């Protein structure tokens, strides 16, 4: 009986939202926003804001204590060299480097995010995910990025997906937790909407598009559906959830497109680096170059 109640809890949550979305309708809505609204946001002010929303990320097989320390030092140096520009929102690394970043970072207001829970596949026993997350927090992570169990979601096992997210949020405590949906694997707008709702009900502080390890990553269509879900969840519960596109953000125009979707669907309340983040490293240099007016490879 308890299992039925638990399953019904998530089914009841999903039933409050329209998850029968048409992919064609979503494409048409996104096309309209891009055509009509993106040009007005192509401004120096928006580019400066976007710089402050970047989660500077290094998730390489070749990362080492030395390379992560140097990576973090660049953030320290940026604050000294460009005092009038916003510093990045976050440094994002593997959990084994949380201590290195924590001991090296000197800039106030920059968060330390760790990808955890057997990133990027999420294919591990829950006990392993819990241990990794707890160790990351102990070593100085102020935010945790986990991947929902995509295979379980696609099998329809929403209960396990949501319970794992809830368990990992409990480990994070007051530290913010982002849930990566891996939207490229979910394929349809309907699946992306369902995964968004489940993640938020289970305790996500942010929902994030992708790991950046699989294609397609952050598409405007996925962003649009996720932002719609965040808005509807906020209207239903009064709880504000953050949004993070990650992976596939290769140009300044990609960033401006994401900004525009957030602005049009969620509104001004989400246009702070508290609620809107972008997972990328490439964009930091591109945005800086456009703001300063010459090509700069600082990071």
């Amino acid at each position: 009986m308890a299992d039925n109640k638990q399953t019904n809890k998530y089914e009841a949550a999903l039933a409050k939202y329209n998850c029968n979305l048409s992919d064609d309708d979503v494409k048409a809505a996104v096309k309209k926003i891009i055509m009509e609204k993106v040009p007005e946001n192509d401004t120096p002010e928006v580019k400066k804001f976007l710089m402050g929303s970047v989660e500077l990320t290094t998730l390489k097989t070749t990362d080492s204590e030395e390379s992560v320390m140097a990576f973090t030092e660049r953030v320290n140096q940026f604050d000294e060299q460009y005092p009038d520009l916003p510093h990045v929102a976050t440094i994002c690394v593997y959990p084994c480097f949380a201590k290195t970043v924590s001991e090296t970072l000197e800039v106030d207001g920059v968060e330390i995010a760790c990808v955890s829970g057997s990133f990027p596949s999420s294919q591990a026993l829950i006990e392993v995910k819990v241990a990794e997350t707890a160790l990351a927090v102990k070593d100085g992570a102020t935010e945790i990025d986990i991947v929902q169990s995509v295979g379980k979601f696609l099998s329809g096992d929403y209960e396990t997906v949501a319970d794992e997210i809830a368990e990992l949020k409990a480990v994070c405590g007051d530290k913010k937790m982002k849930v990566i949906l891996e939207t490229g694997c979910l394929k349809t707008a309907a699946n992306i909407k369902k995964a968004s709702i489940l993640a938020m009900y289970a305790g996500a502080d942010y929902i994030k598009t992708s790991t950046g390890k699989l294609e397609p990553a952050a598409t405007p269509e996925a962003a649009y559906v996720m932002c719609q879900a965040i808005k509807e969840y906020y209207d239903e519960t009064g709880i504000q959830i953050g949004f993070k596109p990650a992976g596939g953000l290769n140009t300044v125009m990609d960033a401006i497109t994401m900004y525009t979707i957030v602005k049009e669907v969620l509104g001004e309340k989400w246009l702070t680096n508290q609620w809107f983040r972008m997972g990328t490293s490439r964009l930091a240099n591109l945005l800086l170059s456009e703001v300063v007016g010459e090509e700069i490879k600082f990071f």
Side-chain angles (χ1 to χ4, degrees):
M1 185 65 76
D3 284 349
N4 286 339
K5 277 185 184 167
Q6 187 79 329
T7 303
N8 291 341
K9 180 173 81 169
Y10 299 121
E11 285 176 357
L14 287 172
K16 294 177 183 174
Y17 302 89
N18 174 26
C19 295
N20 296 319
L21 303 182
S22 154
D23 292 341
D24 288 340
D25 288 351
V26 169
K27 276 183 188 157
V30 169
K31 188 177 177 186
K32 188 169 190 285
I33 288 173
I34 291 173
M35 281 178 62
E36 295 179 5
K37 301 293 185 179
V38 164
E40 69 194 44
N41 295 318
D42 187 1
T43 66
E45 291 74 30
V46 168
K47 288 168 191 170
K48 276 186 194 174
F49 165 80
L50 289 168
M51 280 181 64
S53 288
V54 165
E55 296 207 348
L56 201 66
T57 303
T58 182
L59 298 169
K60 301 192 192 85
T61 304
T62 52
D63 286 342
S64 64
E65 281 190 22
E66 292 76 18
S67 72
V68 170
M69 197 180 293
F71 189 74
T72 309
E73 282 289 6
R74 295 305 281 162
V75 175
N76 295 338
Q77 290 158 10
F78 180 87
D79 210 44
E80 295 164 14
Q81 200 160 325
Y82 297 98
D84 298 332
L85 294 178
H87 53 64
V88 297
T90 316
I91 295 174
C92 183
V93 294
Y94 282 112
C96 51
F97 299 116
K99 198 162 188 280
T100 303
V101 177
S102 181
E103 291 174 349
T104 309
L105 183 63
E106 296 166 1
V107 184
D108 289 336
V110 176
E111 302 290 348
I112 302 168
C114 284
V115 294
S116 183
S118 198
F119 175 96
S121 70
S122 197
Q123 298 287 19
L125 297 168
I126 186 63
E127 293 85 354
V128 174
K129 297 179 185 183
V130 164
E132 186 179 36
T133 302
L135 289 166
V137 171
K138 178 183 78 69
D139 280 351
T142 60
E143 297 182 350
I144 294 291
D145 292 26
I146 65 160
V147 185
Q148 72 155 355
S149 290
V150 180
K152 290 185 175 73
F153 176 87
L154 293 173
S155 301
D157 186 2
Y158 300 156
E159 181 185 347
T160 302
V161 171
D163 283 353
E164 282 191 356
I165 292 168
E167 191 167 346
L168 291 169
K169 176 56 189 170
V171 176
C172 292
D174 62 352
K175 305 292 188 283
K176 295 280 173 61
M177 186 178 78
K178 308 184 198 93
V179 176
I180 303 165
L181 306 183
E182 201 65 288
T183 51
C185 294
L186 301 184
K187 306 293 187 194
T188 67
N191 275 345
I192 293 168
K193 182 80 173 277
K194 282 180 193 169
S196 299
I197 299 296
L198 284 172
M200 292 187 286
Y201 267 95
D205 296 294
Y206 291 76
I207 52 175
K208 174 177 167 183
T209 58
S210 327
T211 60
K213 301 295 186 185
L214 297 172
E215 296 293 337
T219 65
E221 289 77 16
Y224 178 80
V225 173
M226 289 169 70
C227 287
Q228 271 193 324
I230 291 170
K231 177 73 166 63
E232 290 173 27
Y233 183 78
Y234 178 71
D235 291 343
E236 175 72 30
T237 66
I239 300 168
Q240 188 171 3
I241 302 292
F243 172 62
K244 178 181 172 183
L249 301 174
N250 298 317
T251 67
V252 170
M253 199 48 70
D254 288 341
I256 293 170
T257 298
M258 291 296 172
Y259 171 94
T260 304
I261 289 167
V262 170
K263 184 179 178 184
E264 293 304 313
V265 179
L266 290 169
E268 297 286 339
K269 191 170 184 177
W270 270 263
L271 292 178
T272 76
N273 77 350
Q274 175 65 38
W275 300 108
F276 174 52
R277 302 276 183 78
M278 297 185 300
T280 179
S281 286
R282 187 181 295 113
L283 271 183
N285 285 325
L286 294 175
L287 286 163
L288 177 60
S289 298
E290 292 229 357
V291 168
V292 174
E294 59 178 301
E295 188 180 358
I296 296 175
K297 291 183 177 170
F298 187 88
F299 293 105

